[in-house]
Amino acid sequence: MKIFTAEQIRKCDEFTISDEPVSSIQLMERAAQSCVDWIYENCKNHRNFTIFCGSGNNGGDGFAIAKMLYLKGFDVDVFVDPKAKYSNDANVNFKELKEVSGVLIKSFKDVESYRFDSRTVIIDALFGTGLSRELEGDYKQLVNDLNSKNNVRISIDVPSGLFTDVISDENSTIFKADYTLSFQFWKKSFLHPETGKYTGKVVILDINLSEEYISNTSTPDFVIDDKIVESIFKPRNEFSHKGTYGKVTIAAGSYGKVGAAILATKSALKTGTGLTFTLAPKCGYEILQTSCPEAMFIQGGENYIDQFDIDETSVCGIGPGLGTDSETEKSLLKFLKQYPKSLLLDADALNIISKDEKNLKLIPKKSIITPHPKEFERLFGATKNSFERVELARKKANELQIYIVLKDHHTQIITPEGNVFYNIAGNSGLAKGGSGDILTGIITSFLAQGYSEENAAIFGVWFHGKAAEFASEKYSKESMLPTDVINEFGNVFEELNKNTSIKL
């Protein structure tokens, strides 16, 4: 799914209106109806709705939603600024709402004396994607008041006070939603930690905006959705053998950190690689052979790896639990100077490289690196926020001609061309040591199976997140372990195969 800017979204609306054709008020009604349909299905235990409407088209959505909810039998109160001058479409819906005798229209100032009971839902329709400045004055006070309530809070399209494309000031007043019902597209601000914390659960509602405009309009930003995943996934060929699915070498582990090597190796095995080797120190031999009998062991040292003897026909994933011993560092840098193919670098491999800026040039072209934010900072320098971090990642991915998998709540895959793919699969259960080791094994396995570097990174990150969703359903986000995530790989493949199978 493409991520469009606020300006592109506005043009998409205009194109839809002229091309379909549909009137702007009809498009507003369509958007409102999609919200009401979702609310009706998901808020059946609530009877009372308070809707706060601004003067623009977001407020017009709110007026239409109020009328529709009332006609479905809900109690609805609408709050407005009595001095507001409405946009044309908002004014049409406001006039229609005033004809509905059962809906009470109140002033924002009436909030102070209004009784919010436990079954009242607050709906924010104050400001949409067109907002260009911080909230102030009465609107700031109103949003602060609403944020202090313990009621369920729903934002229409965008939480009021949140910018669509850029980071908000740290001290900004922003409506804190439990749910954001957004039209057609994810917005960039939903996907970054500083701003995404205001959206709650994001629900994307399809309002049938012009497919022609969406298809023909370019953007460097994307959300990894089912359509992208299904276009990447290669179902297993029945007429195949182990050589069909490539050879992986996981170079990982050191004394006390052999578990990282096991997690990466198991992940490579469980995601379908044909042959798997683990290059590790001798101290990990017995546990690796016991835990991962399907993988072949290559000794690379005694208590840490001091020699990277890797077959060039193998695809390499290097870093989990590697340690940063001076001999490991020396051997790794020597290996990188000689290795001609793309590979995956993670964890301590990145920490070794980050010791000298010159080492960045040793990363083979088209390689994939998978830093978390601190590792990224060590490699490329500090940034003020995650928005700046992504822009720096674009620059460095282009300069070095590599793929950067920037791990975060919504992990970003940045390509050498400057495209960014945001992952929305997964959950906070992955916020545990070992989760990154699993990702190393997954992506390296997909590389070995013939996926391009871009597709292996995109598919691998999504696959990792999807398995975590299955694991959290069984064990909870708090109790799930990285090994639980690995054990769900089969269920992810099963779902993928069902979705891509030929329907008879």
Side-chain angles (χ1 to χ4, degrees):
M1 177 188 291
K2 292 181 176 180
I3 301 172
F4 283 157
T5 64
E7 178 62 16
Q8 287 175 316
I9 292 170
R10 184 187 66 77
K11 289 180 178 178
C12 188
D13 286 346
E14 290 177 352
F15 190 94
T16 302
I17 289 166
S18 62
D19 185 64
E20 192 168 332
V22 60
S23 70
S24 58
I25 194 69
Q26 287 173 328
L27 187 60
M28 183 177 284
E29 294 280 326
R30 187 190 295 176
Q33 186 65 61
S34 70
C35 292
V36 170
D37 290 344
W38 185 91
I39 292 168
Y40 185 73
E41 286 299 316
N42 292 276
C43 299
K44 291 182 178 179
N45 293 328
H46 299 272
R47 301 307 309 164
N48 308 318
F49 290 84
T50 56
I51 305 180
F52 293 82
C53 298
S55 59
N57 285 349
N58 196 244
D61 294 331
F63 295 139
I65 289 167
K67 180 180 67 175
M68 293 174 185
L69 285 175
Y70 176 76
L71 294 176
K72 282 188 173 291
F74 294 101
D75 295 328
V76 181
D77 293 328
V78 174
F79 290 79
V80 301
D81 177 358
K83 299 176 291 185
K85 294 181 180 180
Y86 296 112
S87 67
N88 291 337
D89 289 341
N91 194 45
V92 169
N93 276 334
F94 183 55
K95 287 180 178 178
E96 288 187 6
L97 184 65
K98 287 195 291 186
E99 299 300 316
V100 180
S101 59
V103 176
L104 295 179
I105 299 176
K106 301 174 178 287
S107 168
F108 290 156
K109 293 181 179 179
D110 294 329
V111 171
E112 295 177 10
S113 58
Y114 188 83
R115 181 176 175 272
F116 291 86
D117 64 34
S118 61
R119 298 180 70 190
T120 299
V121 175
I122 296 171
I123 296 181
D124 156 40
L126 293 169
F127 296 98
T129 57
L131 185 69
S132 59
R133 62 180 182 177
E134 309 282 349
L135 296 186
E136 54 189 22
D138 291 343
Y139 282 102
K140 181 175 181 177
Q141 181 62 48
L142 174 63
V143 170
N144 282 328
D145 287 346
L146 296 179
N147 283 343
S148 70
K149 310 298 180 188
N150 291 323
N151 302 75
V152 172
R153 296 189 289 270
I154 299 174
S155 281
I156 304 304
D157 205 19
V158 178
S160 289
L162 186 67
F163 299 136
T164 305
D165 310 317
V166 297
I167 193 167
S168 302
D169 185 81
E170 187 177 352
N171 298 316
S172 298
T173 294
I174 299 171
F175 186 85
K176 190 165 178 49
D178 296 299
Y179 299 91
T180 296
L181 309 184
S182 199
F183 303 132
Q184 201 75 42
F185 310 104
W186 280 82
K187 280 66 176 177
K188 189 173 181 178
S189 60
F190 295 179
L191 296 158
H192 286 260
E194 300 92 342
T195 47
K197 63 185 178 182
Y198 295 103
T199 66
K201 179 177 175 58
V202 175
V203 179
I204 303 299
L205 301 174
D206 188 348
I207 59 171
N208 296 317
L209 295 181
S210 170
E211 286 295 333
E212 181 182 347
Y213 179 91
I214 294 170
S215 177
N216 293 336
T217 302
S218 62
T219 174
D221 299 320
F222 304 83
V223 162
I224 303 170
D225 59 8
D226 290 346
K227 187 176 180 181
I228 288 176
V229 171
E230 289 173 13
S231 71
I232 292 173
F233 175 55
K234 302 175 183 179
R236 209 166 180 86
N237 185 352
E238 294 298 329
F239 292 92
S240 59
H241 52 82
K242 62 186 178 183
T244 307
Y245 301 107
K247 184 190 297 184
V248 160
T249 299
I250 299 294
S254 56
Y255 185 82
K257 299 179 182 177
V258 176
I262 292 170
L263 291 171
T265 300
K266 279 190 173 182
S267 294
L269 289 165
K270 292 277 283 185
T271 43
T273 187
L275 288 170
T276 303
F277 297 81
T278 306
L279 173 66
K282 185 180 179 180
C283 63
Y285 171 74
E286 290 183 359
I287 189 171
L288 275 161
Q289 289 285 266
T290 302
S291 302
C292 309
E294 300 89 349
M296 288 162 276
F297 182 86
I298 304 171
Q299 183 174 325
E302 290 292 324
N303 289 321
Y304 48 82
I305 297 175
D306 58 16
Q307 52 184 335
F308 288 82
D309 185 12
I310 297 173
D311 185 348
E312 287 188 11
T313 64
S314 180
V315 175
C316 244
I318 304 176
L322 192 66
T324 57
D325 182 89
S326 60
E327 289 299 314
T328 303
E329 177 181 339
K330 180 180 176 181
S331 184
L332 175 62
L333 296 178
K334 179 181 177 181
F335 168 76
L336 290 176
K337 288 176 184 177
Q338 300 169 346
Y339 193 71
K341 295 171 53 180
S342 62
L343 44 68
L344 184 143
L345 297 168
D346 180 37
D348 283 331
L350 299 178
N351 290 329
I352 288 171
I353 290 170
S354 69
K355 291 182 179 182
D356 189 332
E357 187 178 352
K358 294 177 183 177
N359 293 337
L360 291 170
K361 295 181 180 179
L362 299 180
I363 302 174
K365 298 289 190 291
K366 300 185 72 176
S367 289
I368 300 170
I369 66 171
T370 58
H372 59 55
K374 275 295 180 185
E375 289 164 346
F376 181 87
E377 182 177 324
R378 292 184 201 116
L379 286 165
F380 302 118
T383 54
K384 294 179 181 177
N385 53 62
S386 66
F387 285 75
E388 284 192 7
R389 189 163 60 233
V390 168
E391 294 312 307
L392 180 57
R394 282 191 215 264
K395 178 183 176 183
K396 295 302 180 181
N398 178 260
E399 284 179 6
L400 299 170
Q401 287 297 292
I402 60 173
Y403 296 85
I404 300 176
V405 174
L406 187 50
K407 291 184 282 197
D408 207 335
H409 177 61
H410 293 303
T411 292
Q412 302 109 46
I413 297 94
I414 299 98
T415 74
E417 297 77 24
N419 293 326
V420 178
F421 293 84
Y422 289 84
N423 179 53
I424 56 173
N427 53 55
S428 58
L430 287 171
K432 291 185 176 75
S435 294
D437 306 327
I438 293 173
L439 184 61
T440 291
I442 295 169
I443 297 176
T444 308
S445 175
F446 289 153
L447 282 171
Q449 292 176 59
Y451 290 88
S452 69
E453 287 82 4
E454 180 173 313
N455 285 347
I458 292 170
F459 185 34
V461 168
W462 174 90
F463 189 97
H464 186 233
K466 194 67 176 177
E469 291 177 3
F470 282 119
S472 68
E473 289 174 7
K474 288 185 179 180
Y475 305 106
S476 82
K477 296 171 187 175
E478 292 80 5
S479 291
M480 60 184 271
L481 296 173
T483 48
D484 297 324
V485 176
I486 295 172
N487 290 334
E488 295 301 322
F489 287 2
N491 289 325
V492 180
F493 279 123
E494 192 172 301
E495 184 173 288
L496 279 167
N497 281 301
K498 284 179 182 177
N499 291 340
T500 56
S501 62
I502 297 173
K503 304 294 189 295
L504 298 178

